Amino acid sequence: MTDNMDNAEFTAGVWTEVECTEECYNQFVQEPIFDEDHAQFFLCREDGTRKPVRMSTVVFRQYGSEDWEDDIMYGCVEAQALGDGQEEPIPVKIYNLGTPADELVQVIKQDANGTLFTVNYDDGNIEVPAAQKTDEGFLITHEQVVIGDPIEITFNPTNGKAFTMHIEVPNIGLTIRDGEGKAVTGNLELSFEDVMTYTYSFKGNENDDRFLISFNNDKKIYLYIQSDSHTLSIRNKKDKMAKVGETASEGKLALLLEGIPNAVIKHGNERWRIKVEG
């Protein structure tokens, strides 16, 4: 709630919260982007009280500053609902960037070579240490997307302290994860117990909407084609692409393998050679 603020100067058990509607969220950004037309502040107490308050009864300061102001400024901001008497409610951190949430981060291109995205920010400059800066935007590798760790963006405002936000870009294509959620590829020799903990997920687009599984040394070859956002159409390559069923676009790997202990899954240049024993 307070994100590492020094709470010594504030009243214990009284704090500020902000509730944002979906208009404050960018599909690739973890943190909400503040928009006063789509946000509501609350004064909260440890007895369970949660009172909505108007913007006119909230004060603001640049994160790292000591001076409160009536008008909100740009950047990483602390917002404090006014308490009763001498109370100093714990503030909430918000990001007021002057950019509509849906425009802040946009993915320009995503394929097997990586993901290219732009960050639209006019109040200073930005750095994305984990990405390669290009003339078109910032490029992160396919491997970074598959691993799924959030990518840090450092904002350096013209006035105010630098701050960091985080983006996550969903993988386009097939991802297989082990029981601990780590993305895996290559040769997988698994016990029956192991394979029951593995998962798969497939997210396609107009240029990448399918993957193939060869079972038991090509005795059965199925093509899985994305039919909508939630299902995959299963086609038999050895029977003129006849449809043999549908399956979910994500779930347990064991169900995708249909109990067959030897399979090779192919998607683009990626391969998973799977052998299940026991």
Side-chain angles (χ1 to χ4, degrees):
M1 177 183 63
T2 59
D3 196 11
N4 296 323
M5 296 176 191
D6 181 2
N7 293 338
E9 63 181 292
F10 303 115
T11 305
V14 187
W15 66 93
T16 310
E17 288 184 2
V18 63
E19 192 173 283
C20 297
T21 65
E22 63 180 14
E23 286 83 2
C24 295
Y25 288 86
N26 180 288
Q27 62 178 316
F28 306 115
V29 183
Q30 288 187 341
E31 298 85 357
I33 294 92
F34 181 76
D35 182 334
E36 65 178 281
D37 293 330
H38 300 287
Q40 173 67 62
F41 288 103
F42 296 86
L43 178 62
C44 304
R45 301 179 185 277
E46 58 186 358
D47 63 4
T49 303
R50 190 169 187 261
K51 177 185 175 183
V53 296
R54 300 188 303 273
M55 277 279 289
S56 59
T57 60
V58 178
V59 292
F60 307 93
R61 69 182 181 185
Q62 204 90 46
Y63 187 70
S65 173
E66 296 183 357
D67 300 323
W68 295 100
E69 299 180 23
D70 293 330
D71 297 323
I72 190 169
M73 61 288 296
Y74 288 124
C76 181
V77 176
E78 289 180 336
Q80 182 193 55
L82 299 179
D84 297 334
Q86 299 300 311
E87 285 182 337
E88 291 286 345
I90 299 169
V92 63
K93 182 187 285 188
I94 58 176
Y95 300 90
N96 186 42
L97 305 183
T99 302
D102 61 351
E103 297 178 12
L104 181 64
V105 173
Q106 296 180 326
V107 170
I108 305 302
K109 182 172 64 176
Q110 187 172 32
D111 55 31
N113 296 318
T115 297
L116 182 70
F117 64 91
T118 59
V119 182
N120 300 308
Y121 178 65
D122 296 327
D123 192 42
N125 62 73
I126 60 168
E127 300 173 20
V128 188
Q132 176 187 348
K133 189 172 183 179
T134 73
D135 292 338
E136 297 177 278
F138 295 92
L139 180 66
I140 54 177
T141 66
H142 176 67
E143 288 74 20
Q144 286 174 287
V145 175
V146 170
I147 290 170
D149 291 338
I151 303 295
E152 288 190 352
I153 301 178
T154 299
F155 293 79
N156 299 297
T158 303
N159 297 302
K161 185 178 179 181
F163 59 93
T164 299
M165 298 179 74
H166 304 83
I167 67 169
E168 288 185 276
V169 179
N171 181 40
I172 295 297
L174 180 64
T175 306
I176 295 178
R177 299 186 185 276
D178 64 17
E180 297 179 351
K182 179 182 177 182
V184 295
T185 188
N187 296 328
L188 304 176
E189 295 187 4
L190 308 174
S191 67
F192 176 78
E193 290 77 13
D194 286 338
V195 76
M196 296 302 292
T197 68
Y198 277 53
T199 61
Y200 75 93
S201 63
F202 184 78
K203 181 177 176 63
N205 58 25
E206 59 183 11
N207 300 314
D208 184 357
D209 67 350
R210 63 195 61 197
F211 64 92
L212 179 146
I213 304 182
S214 168
F215 297 94
N216 284 339
N217 297 316
D218 292 345
K219 291 181 180 177
K220 182 169 71 172
I221 303 175
Y222 283 172
L223 194 65
Y224 296 74
I225 305 173
Q226 182 171 280
S227 54
D228 58 36
S229 59
H230 302 292
T231 63
L232 300 168
S233 174
I234 308 173
R235 303 282 175 166
N236 187 348
K237 286 204 70 175
K238 303 191 83 171
D239 187 19
K240 301 178 180 179
M241 296 294 287
K243 184 175 180 178
V244 295
E246 289 191 2
T247 192
S249 59
E250 59 181 86
K252 295 290 187 180
L253 179 61
L255 296 178
L256 187 69
L257 297 178
E258 300 182 358
I260 298 173
N262 291 286
V264 178
I265 303 178
K266 303 177 182 180
H267 173 255
N269 295 323
E270 295 178 294
R271 298 289 185 271
W272 295 262
R273 294 175 175 83
I274 302 171
K275 183 176 182 181
V276 181
E277 298 178 339

